[in-house]
Structures are given as structure tokens and as C-alpha cells.
Amino acid sequence: MTSDTITHSAEETIAFGRNLAAELSPPLIVLLRGDLGAGKTTLVKGIAEGFKAARAADVTSPTFTLVHEYCGPHATLYHIDLYRVDTQRDLETLGLDDLLAPNGILLIEWGEKFLRLQRDRNVEITLEQVGETERRIQVTRSLPHSIIPHPIR
Ligand code: ADP
Ligand code: MG
């Protein structure tokens, strides 16, 4: 289940995020993939607006702080940047499991570095720079674990 979109400006990516928010319901682990400058943080601005959790201008990169929290009426968003987190041990000190409360949505940049997050993510969004201000945005949703058939033993 993948959707594919091209945006032509940061504003369009923010608008895309705003609309995407309507299709996201907690609890959720969302991986944001793409090179530096691809637009991951810009997309989070829109998602945060869609959840009425923050204004776009107030969403900044959690590069140094690692986790930013935005509280909305229907969900609490945690914007996480693992660019500078390299070991399993450092990841554990962030306590991501505790953040994934029933109304929690984790929006994680560079989460694919960790196998566990690759495995447990519910949604993966890949951004790719395809022009000066053009970005390709692919959204892939996983089937819930519960409906993936298990082999019969
Ligand atoms: P990342 O978090 O992936 O490193 P950022 O969102 O911080 O990327 O930065 C993306 C940069 O690219 C911003 O300066 C933004 O204004 C610019 N930009 C230009 N066109 C777009 C677009 N279509 N979508 C998103 N960002 C864009
Ligand atoms: Mg970023």
C-alpha cells in the first residue's frame, strides 16, 4: 500500500503533511527517510499543523535535542532525529517505548538505522529531492502484525 506524490515547494510539502495527518491515528511509529535536506522536518511541520499540535513555524529540527514533543487534542507527536544516535544503548536511553502511549505518534528521522524500528514501524515515508524544489514523497503503510498470516506448525 504505497502512495506517490511530487511537491514543488516547501509550502506544498507542509500542505501534504497537513492532509496526511487526517489519515494517521495513534499509536503509530512513522519512519521518515531521505537524505539531509530532503524535507523530512518540513513534512513534520505539516503533520503537526494537521493535528493542531503546533504551528509550522514552531516545529524545528530536533537534531541536537533528539526529541521534540507537540501536544494536540487527539494525539501527542514526538519528532525524533536519530542522525547522531549510533548505538542501541543510546537509543534505549531515549525511552521510545514509553513515548508510544495510546495517543502517541512517533515521527522518526534516521530511524531506519535501527533494525527494531525498521521492523516495528507502521508507516514509512520516503522523501527524495528530484529537482531544486521538487520532492517525491512515497508513503507506505504496513499491514498490522495481527493480520499477517503465521505459518502453520
Ligand atoms: P530534512 O529534515 O530531510 O533534512 P528539511 O525539511 O530540514 O530536510 O529541509 C528541507 C529544505 O528544502 C528546506 O530548506 C525547505 O525549505 C527546502 N525545500 C525546497 N523545496 C521543498 C519541497 N518541495 N519540500 C520540502 N522542502 C523543500
Ligand atoms: Mg530534519
Side-chain angles (χ1 to χ4, degrees), residues 79-134:
H79 182 198
I80 298 153
D81 190 341
L82 301 181
Y83 189 72
R84 291 186 157 69
V85 176
D86 285 318
T87 66
Q88 192 65 37
R89 198 183 181 151
D90 287 346
L91 180 69
E92 276 159 23
T93 59
L94 293 178
L96 298 190
D97 290 327
D98 298 332
L99 303 182
L100 199 62
N103 70 340
I105 296 186
L106 309 191
L107 302 161
I108 310 180
E109 301 189 26
W110 303 102
E112 71 276 11
K113 297 198 323 194
F114 297 95
L115 259 182
R116 214 214 92 189
L117 291 173
Q118 264 184 40
R119 197 191 58 209
D120 291 349
R121 98 270 190 281
N122 309 104
V123 181
E124 188 162 298
I125 305 175
T126 302
L127 294 100
E128 186 192 355
Q129 178 158 8
V130 291
E132 180 102 4
T133 62
E134 283 74 36

Side-chain angles (χ1 to χ4, degrees), residues 12-140:
E12 265 188 42
T13 294
I14 292 172
F16 179 84
R18 233 182 264 131
N19 293 331
L20 183 65
E23 296 170 35
L24 303 175
S25 44
L28 221 48
I29 297 177
V30 181
L31 291 195
L32 300 162
R33 302 185 68 150
D35 293 340
L36 284 174
K40 302 179 293 298
T41 295
T42 303
L43 182 66
V44 173
K45 288 173 180 278
I47 295 173
E49 283 205 336
F51 275 101
K52 297 187 175 13
R55 287 175 310 173
D58 294 329
V59 173
T60 55
S61 179
T63 308
F64 297 101
T65 40
L66 305 186
V67 183
H68 284 171
E69 180 176 342
Y70 304 103
C71 249
H74 305 298
T76 301
L77 309 184
Y78 298 94
H79 182 198
I80 298 153
D81 190 341
L82 301 181
Y83 189 72
R84 291 186 157 69
V85 176
D86 285 318
T87 66
Q88 192 65 37
R89 198 183 181 151
D90 287 346
L91 180 69
E92 276 159 23
T93 59
L94 293 178
L96 298 190
D97 290 327
D98 298 332
L99 303 182
L100 199 62
N103 70 340
I105 296 186
L106 309 191
L107 302 161
I108 310 180
E109 301 189 26
W110 303 102
E112 71 276 11
K113 297 198 323 194
F114 297 95
L115 259 182
R116 214 214 92 189
L117 291 173
Q118 264 184 40
R119 197 191 58 209
D120 291 349
R121 98 270 190 281
N122 309 104
V123 181
E124 188 162 298
I125 305 175
T126 302
L127 294 100
E128 186 192 355
Q129 178 158 8
V130 291
E132 180 102 4
T133 62
E134 283 74 36
R135 302 291 192 272
R136 180 172 184 210
I137 307 178
Q138 286 177 289
V139 181
T140 304

